[in-house]
Amino acid sequence: MAETTPTGAWGDNEIQAKSVLTKIAAFVANRNIPFLICSVGMIVMLLWAGKFKMTVPGAEGIIPLVSNSPLTSWQFNHFGPYILGDMIGLTEWTAAILLIIGYFKPKAGILGGIILVGMFFTTTTMLITTPDDTAVVNGIHYMNNTGLFLFKDIIAFGVAFYLISYYGRKAIMAENQR
């Protein structure tokens, strides 16, 4: 039996999955599995990471990152590590809450995604500005734990754009139903 994807899942026309591989792809698409994993994973990560940044070890852990970035060093100098850690943590919580609200009101999810794009763009640039984020082995630079910690935000940056597009499609469909 061929798996049918609903109109709008991959385009405007209904399509039939015939091979095993395309049936798997249709199964995944029909159940919004990428969205569910990306959104729930992002929400959990933001809540945990946000809470951690609001602790003394979390605030102190970001000092080498925020103090060396031209995008955040002025905030570090103005607020200090603890208030800045709280501000970053609250920003992460705000984005997570907006993503949750986005399940019911997609425009809130778009706003949460936009906040994430700004956050992850900022942390991704820290790969360039943070000293000692690589280790040299036999003359070749490899990312150390700090570099890998920052590099994961490149993936999160892409997920943020995906969430904006997903919530955006939902918001557009809602606007067109009025």
Side-chain angles (χ1 to χ4, degrees):
M1 181 174 128
E3 176 106 14
T4 302
T5 62
T7 301
W10 287 339
D12 292 330
N13 301 323
E14 194 166 300
I15 56 175
Q16 295 284 321
K18 296 177 182 146
S19 71
V20 172
L21 289 176
T22 58
K23 285 180 183 180
I24 292 169
F27 178 87
V28 169
N30 290 340
R31 285 149 188 87
N32 290 325
I33 292 172
F35 168 74
L36 293 172
I37 292 173
C38 287
S39 64
V40 171
M42 183 64 74
I43 290 165
V44 170
M45 182 185 75
L46 291 167
L47 293 174
W48 268 339
K51 178 62 179 163
F52 181 65
K53 287 183 183 82
M54 292 187 253
T55 66
V56 171
E60 291 174 352
I62 62 172
I63 290 172
L65 308 175
V66 296
S67 65
N68 289 294
S69 168
L71 300 176
T72 58
S73 60
W74 65 272
Q75 294 171 323
F76 176 76
N77 294 333
H78 185 71
F79 298 112
Y82 305 110
I83 293 175
L84 182 57
D86 288 348
M87 290 169 53
I88 293 169
L90 287 173
T91 301
E92 290 176 336
W93 277 21
T94 300
I97 291 166
L98 287 168
L99 293 179
I100 293 167
I101 294 170
Y103 290 140
F104 311 101
K105 297 185 182 272
K107 288 183 181 180
I110 296 168
L111 183 57
I114 291 168
I115 292 169
L116 294 178
V117 165
M119 284 176 30
F120 294 128
F121 172 79
T122 301
T123 56
T124 298
T125 64
M126 291 177 185
L127 272 167
I128 300 165
T129 61
T130 302
D132 302 324
D133 62 354
T134 59
V136 179
V137 178
N138 296 327
I140 300 173
H141 286 266
Y142 294 95
M143 282 188 237
N144 62 17
N145 287 339
T146 303
L148 290 171
F149 171 77
L150 292 170
F151 192 78
K152 61 120 174 79
D153 282 354
I154 292 173
I155 297 164
F157 191 43
V159 170
F161 279 110
Y162 168 73
L163 292 174
I164 290 170
S165 70
Y166 183 89
Y167 284 121
R169 278 193 308 275
K170 291 288 191 185
I172 291 166
M173 288 182 353
E175 286 176 348
N176 288 326
Q177 288 178 351
R178 293 185 195 144

